[in-house]
Amino acid sequence: MITVQALEAIAYKLQITEWMTISENSCNDGSLNKNRSKDIIIMAKCNCSYEKGTVCHVTSIFLKKLNLNGEIPDEFANLTYLQEIDFTRNYLNGTIPTSLTKLPLVGQQSDRQMLGNRLSGLIPKELGSISTLESINLEDNLLTGTLPQSLGNLSRMRRLFLSSNNFTGQIPESFGKLKNLTDFRVDGNTFSGKLPSFIGNWTKLDRLDMQGTSMEGPIPSTISLLTSLTELRITDLNGSSSTFPDLSSITSLKALVLRNCLITGSIPDYIGNMTKLKTWDLSFNQLSGVIPNTLQNLKNLTYVFLTNNSLTGAIPDKLSNPPDKVKSDLSYNNFTETSTTSCQRSTLNLASSLSSTEESVSWCWKKGLPCSQKPKYDSLFINCGGRSTIYDKNDYSEDTSSNGASYFFSESERWAFSSNGVFLGDEDANNTATNVYSLNITGPDFYQNARLAAISLRYYGLCLVQGNYKVKLHFAEIMYTDDQTYKSLGKRLFDVSIQGTRYIKDFNIAKEAGGVGKTITKEYNVDVNETTLEIHLYWAGKGTNALPERGIYGPLISAISVTPNFKVDTGGGGLSGGAIAGIVISSFIVVALILLFLRMKGYLGGNDIQNTELLDLKTGYFSLKQIKAATNNFDPANKIGEGGFGPVYKAYVLQEQGNILDLVDPILGSKFSKEEALRLLNISLLCTNPSPTLRPQMTSVVSMIEGHMPIQAPLVHRKIGGTSEGANAMFKSLEMISHDSSNSQTQVSTYSNDSEVRRSMFTDGPWRSSSTSVRDSSTAKLVEDHHDVDSD
């Protein structure tokens, strides 16, 4: 006989339709086992050995992923032989009923029991009177208050899982009596006080998880007594710093995670004795010195996270050129050398990891990710985890790489991201997410996807112009549902920092946005004093990590937009490619027509010794008299363009005065890009240089137009005094031509007698000049390296 009435009452209260029509024969006919699928479990186990096999009693009940609503019925207490109850991933609320303390619960066959519900209130102290109890799992609920001292009386307790609740206070001293513990997990609570030294009593412990507990260090020395440990995770401690704990006797570790524990000093050599080690995380500490060579002994090593330390020396080959299975994040350190040659590898992250400032070192390895060229960007738009899209007339870049365990990605020194961490419980979890639950999200398309990380996610704006920027971070929680099921119970918490300043601690997207699938944008005004903007999202061990399934937690972001809070000198938005090409081609045509006209007139070449003012100007091309004759004394009717010597000289003068933009046709008003116009004018000056061999080749011109090569414009600066007679004569001729061209024109200032000679090399060949011609006195100088000639 079974207690039919108790099971029927439970079935009606929890709406388990499969149990609403059971009988006394249900234990034997299988009607108590009605699984809806592989994961959705409705099952009861019976023991029918009582009274010579004539009486059955229910000993175990498993009700998993049914989304059961309401409180736990008191009728469970009527099943007096019940040893196992498993309510994993439902929607149960209310408190843990004290009536359950009447049962001979063991919890031996299930490690989950009440994981993933909405149970609230305190853990009843009466639970400590169930002397048979060997396992308690209350993870991912809403329980509060301090842990009852009475739990320390459970001498048979082997597994105690209390992670992801809201417990406070200190871990009771009575827990030191739990000497049969093999698995203890308290991640994500808000305890106080120091890590207890009594953990050294748990000598049978196989796994210890204390991530994000808000407790203080240091890690107690008694941890060295836990020689049976295979998994150790302690993270995000408060308090003062301490040296590396003595773990030399714990050689069976497969996972060693001591992240953000304020550990100083060097990494001990005995790490190499942990030959079973697979996951090694010492990130966000204050470690110094070199990585031990004994690392070569770790043949099973798969994940290495040493980011954000002060490690020095050379990076071991095992990490700089690892086999495909080894994923290493060594970013943000002070290494001196590495044998790797690539900035971007799917298994190695070396961002900002080298102390070197040598030019030969890739920009991505240098501290702060400095721009390898002149900063030129003043905005940034990224669709995190999604394809390129347009919103509000801005192009959001694609960001779809699924790598993330130890990965650095850069898009042409425009922007980059750095991601690290492996998801606990699901090492194969993806680092991008989509709206798989078809949430009704209003807003731009970029809210339909997101990038996430298990530990740390950094985005960078690269090669930015210095100034103050408005940073907008766009969020929407898309990995939970918005219904009344266990899939809606996840709670994501992470920290948000920009430029090294933490702006949000324990950020909960859904809570602040007003629900799952709701959008929220966080705005901040930040300074970029160098060339790089850093946005850092970090998981500090808080929130749930098993809802809807294991491995769903950590920072998540949908999109990023960065715009300047300063006036950007772009005019009307810049010239189109066609306009740029048209201007440059027109300049070439004008110059060509001038030279063709003079050639046809026979004025190119020859000497004229009658004009003694220009005897010092040994151009070898044409004289002032010839030019006057050819142009009818510079009659405007013969003017065919602005490439002649007079306008070119005027351009030189305006350039020296900083007014070269006065050459732009006034009809354009302000509707043009000043930066692009300045670039084209400087290119035009190069192309109209009086010395043909100082004019750049066409391939160089194209490279300058496309921005692949710095522009070298002739910056002619005047100098009081000097000895450059060629330059003196050249300017005298240009001044005379400009003066004689039209008496009605505004006179330009007369400048004196010298200019420096600069020669530059382009990738397609040098510009050669003759020592016997005026070419030697021309000046070519990098625009971004402007240097005035000093006055005497």
Side-chain angles (χ1 to χ4, degrees):
M1 173 183 287
I2 62 172
T3 310
V4 176
Q5 293 83 357
L7 286 177
E8 287 181 339
I10 292 170
Y12 276 95
K13 284 189 175 182
L14 297 180
Q15 291 299 295
I16 306 172
T17 56
E18 289 84 348
W19 282 0
M20 291 182 179
T21 57
I22 60 175
S23 68
E24 294 180 356
N25 295 320
S26 293
C27 272
N28 296 316
D29 63 17
S31 59
L32 293 179
N33 300 328
K34 297 288 187 178
N35 296 347
R36 297 177 184 174
S37 69
K38 178 181 178 181
D39 297 325
I40 302 176
I41 307 299
I42 303 174
M43 183 174 67
K45 292 183 179 181
C46 301
N47 185 344
C48 296
S49 63
Y50 296 95
E51 298 186 20
K52 298 180 181 181
T54 61
V55 176
C56 296
H57 292 290
V58 176
T59 57
S60 302
I61 290 179
F62 301 90
L63 302 170
K64 299 182 181 181
K65 294 187 176 181
L66 294 170
N67 295 313
L68 301 177
N69 206 337
E71 298 184 0
I72 299 175
D74 288 330
E75 282 79 4
F76 276 104
N78 297 330
L79 302 173
T80 55
Y81 288 81
L82 192 62
Q83 298 178 352
E84 304 278 347
I85 302 178
D86 193 335
F87 296 129
T88 299
R89 295 186 176 93
N90 281 287
Y91 203 67
L92 297 170
N93 64 305
T95 61
I96 300 173
T98 57
S99 59
L100 296 181
T101 61
K102 301 176 183 178
L103 300 175
L105 294 174
V106 176
Q108 184 176 10
Q109 298 182 23
S110 174
D111 285 338
R112 295 176 177 85
Q113 300 153 358
M114 299 184 186
L115 177 149
N117 283 277
R118 297 180 295 152
L119 300 177
S120 58
L122 306 175
I123 295 178
K125 61 182 180 180
E126 292 83 359
L127 208 60
S129 64
I130 309 176
S131 60
T132 56
L133 204 54
E134 296 183 8
S135 177
I136 297 177
N137 190 335
L138 300 173
E139 289 185 300
D140 293 336
N141 276 282
L142 304 174
L143 298 167
T144 58
T146 59
L147 301 179
Q149 290 275 353
S150 61
L151 294 184
N153 299 327
L154 300 174
S155 59
R156 298 177 60 179
M157 181 62 61
R158 295 186 298 110
R159 295 182 295 270
L160 184 55
F161 301 165
L162 304 173
S163 297
S164 304
N165 280 282
N166 300 309
F167 296 124
T168 56
Q170 298 185 9
I171 297 178
E173 287 285 336
S174 63
F175 279 30
K177 298 186 295 183
L178 302 177
K179 296 183 179 181
N180 285 311
L181 273 179
T182 59
D183 201 336
F184 183 75
R185 309 180 195 180
V186 289
D187 295 345
N189 289 288
T190 310
F191 294 118
S192 58
K194 293 187 175 182
L195 289 174
S197 60
F198 60 69
I199 63 175
N201 297 342
W202 303 338
T203 55
K204 296 181 181 180
L205 206 61
D206 177 76
R207 176 170 174 175
L208 176 62
D209 284 10
M210 303 182 77
Q211 300 187 102
T213 62
S214 301
M215 301 181 74
E216 295 182 7
I219 297 172
S221 60
T222 54
I223 199 170
S224 63
L225 302 175
L226 307 182
T227 57
S228 297
L229 275 178
T230 63
E231 298 183 49
L232 172 61
R233 297 179 181 86
I234 301 176
T235 74
D236 304 284
L237 295 178
N238 296 318
S240 57
S241 61
S242 62
T243 56
F244 205 96
D246 182 8
L247 306 177
S248 58
S249 60
I250 311 176
T251 59
S252 298
L253 280 172
K254 297 178 181 178
L256 174 58
V257 178
L258 301 177
R259 183 175 59 250
N260 197 19
C261 289
L262 305 171
I263 301 174
T264 63
S266 59
I267 300 173
D269 288 339
Y270 65 70
I271 289 293
N273 298 329
M274 300 177 181
T275 55
K276 297 180 180 180
L277 197 60
K278 179 181 178 181
T279 301
W280 186 33
D281 184 354
L282 303 178
S283 58
F284 296 93
N285 281 295
Q286 302 162 25
L287 295 168
S288 57
V290 301
I291 298 176
N293 289 328
T294 56
L295 185 72
Q296 307 296 332
N297 301 334
L298 305 182
K299 307 301 182 183
N300 295 310
L301 200 59
T302 305
Y303 302 105
V304 178
F305 306 117
L306 300 177
T307 185
N308 273 84
N309 281 286
S310 298
L311 298 171
T312 58
I315 299 175
D317 285 341
K318 185 177 182 67
L319 299 182
S320 60
N321 291 291
D324 290 340
K325 75 167 187 175
V326 180
K327 297 176 174 61
S328 304
D329 191 328
L330 309 178
S331 59
Y332 290 84
N333 275 286
N334 295 320
F335 296 113
T336 54
E337 59 180 287
T338 177
S339 59
T340 190
T341 59
S342 174
C343 257
Q344 195 163 299
R345 294 176 57 179
S346 61
T347 59
L348 178 63
N349 187 348
L350 290 178
S352 193
S353 64
L354 298 187
S355 59
S356 175
T357 58
E358 295 180 4
E359 291 297 326
S360 60
V361 175
S362 296
W363 64 270
C364 65
W365 299 340
K366 294 181 181 179
K367 288 292 184 182
L369 307 181
C371 187
S372 65
Q373 54 188 315
K374 183 179 179 180
K376 56 183 177 181
Y377 300 117
D378 50 48
S379 63
L380 175 65
F381 305 94
I382 306 172
N383 183 15
C384 305
R387 297 191 177 279
S388 58
T389 187
I390 297 176
Y391 172 67
D392 199 20
K393 298 182 180 179
N394 294 312
D395 293 326
Y396 283 74
S397 297
E398 178 175 307
D399 173 26
T400 56
S401 173
S402 60
N403 294 320
S406 57
Y407 189 58
F408 177 83
F409 171 85
S410 170
E411 185 179 279
S412 304
E413 277 195 78
R414 181 70 181 89
W415 62 271
F417 78 80
S418 173
S419 174
N420 78 3
V422 57
F423 288 99
L424 186 60
D426 187 2
E427 294 181 355
D428 298 325
N430 207 319
N431 284 80
T432 59
T434 58
N435 183 12
V436 294
Y437 294 120
S438 301
L439 301 169
N440 184 21
I441 302 175
T442 58
D445 288 343
F446 53 61
Y447 287 117
Q448 300 291 332
N449 47 254
R451 176 165 294 281
L452 54 151
I455 300 173
S456 170
L457 176 60
R458 286 183 168 100
Y459 274 95
Y460 308 95
L462 303 173
C463 290
L464 289 173
V465 177
Q466 292 183 358
N468 186 268
Y469 289 82
K470 181 179 294 297
V471 177
K472 293 184 178 181
L473 308 180
H474 305 274
F475 302 97
E477 182 55 74
I478 59 175
M479 299 190 74
Y480 308 131
T481 60
D482 59 352
D483 52 15
Q484 294 185 348
T485 68
Y486 74 88
K487 293 182 179 179
S488 70
L489 299 179
K491 182 172 66 175
R492 185 188 307 276
L493 299 177
F494 59 93
D495 298 344
V496 178
S497 300
I498 305 177
Q499 299 297 71
T501 298
R502 188 173 66 190
Y503 284 88
I504 314 178
K505 179 176 173 57
D506 297 337
F507 179 46
N508 185 330
I509 299 174
K511 181 179 179 181
E512 295 215 20
V516 171
K518 305 297 183 181
T519 66
I520 185 172
T521 300
K522 292 290 186 179
E523 296 186 10
Y524 307 97
N525 294 322
V526 298
D527 291 324
V528 174
N529 296 320
E530 300 293 337
T531 62
T532 303
L533 170 69
E534 179 190 272
I535 300 165
H536 188 200
L537 312 179
Y538 173 76
W539 181 62
K542 301 290 188 180
T544 60
N545 60 25
L547 289 173
E549 303 294 339
R550 292 280 182 191
I552 297 181
Y553 63 92
L556 176 151
I557 187 167
S558 300
I560 296 172
S561 61
V562 178
T563 53
N565 285 329
F566 52 89
K567 184 178 180 180
V568 179
D569 192 12
T570 60
L575 300 176
S576 66
I580 292 174
I583 293 173
V584 174
I585 292 172
S586 298
S587 300
F588 291 156
I589 292 174
V590 168
V591 174
L593 288 174
I594 291 174
L595 295 177
L596 178 62
F597 175 81
L598 294 174
R599 179 73 176 179
M600 292 176 65
K601 290 292 184 177
Y603 296 124
L604 293 183
N607 295 304
D608 186 359
I609 60 175
Q610 297 182 27
N611 195 328
T612 59
E613 291 183 301
L614 297 178
L615 285 178
D616 291 335
L617 181 59
K618 300 175 182 179
T619 65
Y621 292 103
F622 43 84
S623 68
L624 175 62
K625 184 176 181 179
Q626 290 173 317
I627 296 175
K628 287 183 177 180
T631 61
N632 193 20
N633 198 23
F634 301 100
D635 190 329
N638 293 325
K639 184 177 181 181
I640 62 173
E642 292 296 324
F645 285 125
V648 171
Y649 169 71
K650 180 179 178 181
Y652 283 140
V653 173
L654 289 174
Q655 183 192 47
E656 181 176 8
Q657 294 175 340
N659 298 323
I660 193 171
L661 289 176
D662 289 352
L663 295 175
V664 178
D665 194 332
I667 197 172
L668 294 177
S670 62
K671 296 182 178 180
F672 66 94
S673 168
K674 295 181 180 179
E675 181 181 352
E676 294 183 24
L678 184 62
R679 181 168 70 252
L680 294 177
L681 287 169
N682 281 321
I683 294 175
S684 299
L685 287 179
L686 280 175
C687 296
T688 57
N689 195 296
S691 175
T693 56
L694 288 180
R695 300 168 192 159
Q697 298 183 18
M698 181 58 70
T699 56
S700 298
V701 173
V702 173
S703 294
M704 286 186 282
I705 293 173
E706 294 177 343
H708 299 319
M709 179 180 293
I711 302 169
Q712 294 188 323
L715 304 185
V716 181
H717 295 280
R718 309 301 299 263
K719 186 175 182 182
I720 305 302
T723 59
S724 181
E725 296 179 358
N728 188 11
M730 182 185 73
F731 276 106
K732 183 179 294 185
S733 68
L734 292 176
E735 289 172 1
M736 292 177 63
I737 292 172
S738 180
H739 175 77
D740 291 343
S741 64
S742 176
N743 290 330
S744 64
Q745 294 179 353
T746 302
Q747 299 297 311
V748 298
S749 301
T750 302
Y751 290 86
S752 100
N753 308 320
D754 199 9
S755 65
E756 284 193 340
V757 177
R758 301 282 183 181
R759 290 191 304 169
S760 299
M761 303 284 287
F762 282 112
T763 55
D764 56 356
W767 300 357
R768 302 293 185 185
S769 62
S770 170
S771 61
T772 61
S773 77
V774 70
R775 303 166 194 168
D776 286 336
S777 60
S778 298
T779 299
K781 192 77 168 67
L782 287 174
V783 172
E784 64 266 33
D785 191 27
H786 190 288
H787 179 71
D788 289 336
V789 178
D790 295 333
S791 298
D792 293 336

